[in-house]
Amino acid sequence: MIYEERDAEIRRAWMEECWAAVGGRSVLDLERQTQVPVNLLHAYTSHGERPEPRHVVLLAQATQGAHWSPWAHRVLRLLNYSEIHLMLALKEAYQPPGPVKS
C-alpha cells in the first residue's frame, strides 16, 4: 500500500512538472522538437507513466531553453531515478547532488 501511494505521488508530481513545461504546446510540435514518439509523450503526460530518463532530458532541452539542465536534474530526481541514470541521461551536464544540510 505504501509503495502504491508513493508511486501515485511520483506520477502526480511528474504530471504537474510536465504540463508546466509543455505549456500549451501541441504534442506534434513536441514530437518534432524532442524526437520522442507522440504515443510516448501522450502516455507520459496523460496517463502518468514514468518517462525514460533520456526523454526527460529531450523534453527539458525542448521546453526549458538554456536552463534545461537544472530542470532535468530536479525532475529526474523527483521521478526517483538513481544517480547512474542521471549521469547516463545528462552526460556532460550531470551535477552530483549537493551536500546534505541539517
Side-chain angles (χ1 to χ4, degrees):
M1 185 72 152
I2 292 171
Y3 292 115
E4 289 175 14
E5 289 175 10
R6 176 70 179 140
D7 286 346
E9 186 179 310
I10 289 170
R11 281 192 305 275
R12 275 192 302 277
W14 161 247
M15 294 282 292
E16 290 172 10
E17 290 292 337
C18 188
W19 281 115
V22 169
R25 292 176 176 92
S26 77
V27 174
L28 292 176
D29 286 342
L30 281 174
E31 181 182 35
R32 280 192 294 275
Q33 290 176 322
T34 63
Q35 298 303 303
V36 179
V38 170
N39 61 331
L40 288 178
L41 288 171
H42 179 71
Y44 297 157
T45 59
S46 297
H47 302 300
E49 290 184 23
R50 187 169 123 166
E52 294 180 29
R54 66 187 176 93
H55 292 163
V56 171
V57 169
L58 292 169
L59 181 64
Q61 291 170 332
T63 62
Q64 302 301 306
H67 303 290
W68 66 269
S69 177
W71 187 87
H73 276 86
R74 186 173 54 76
V75 170
L76 287 168
R77 287 189 175 110
L78 170 83
L79 290 169
N80 210 24
Y81 278 107
S82 67
E83 290 302 305
I84 191 70
H85 285 105
L86 273 75
M87 291 186 328
L88 292 171
L90 293 160
K91 299 177 176 128
E92 308 84 41
Y94 172 75
Q95 296 292 317
V100 175
K101 297 178 183 179
S102 50

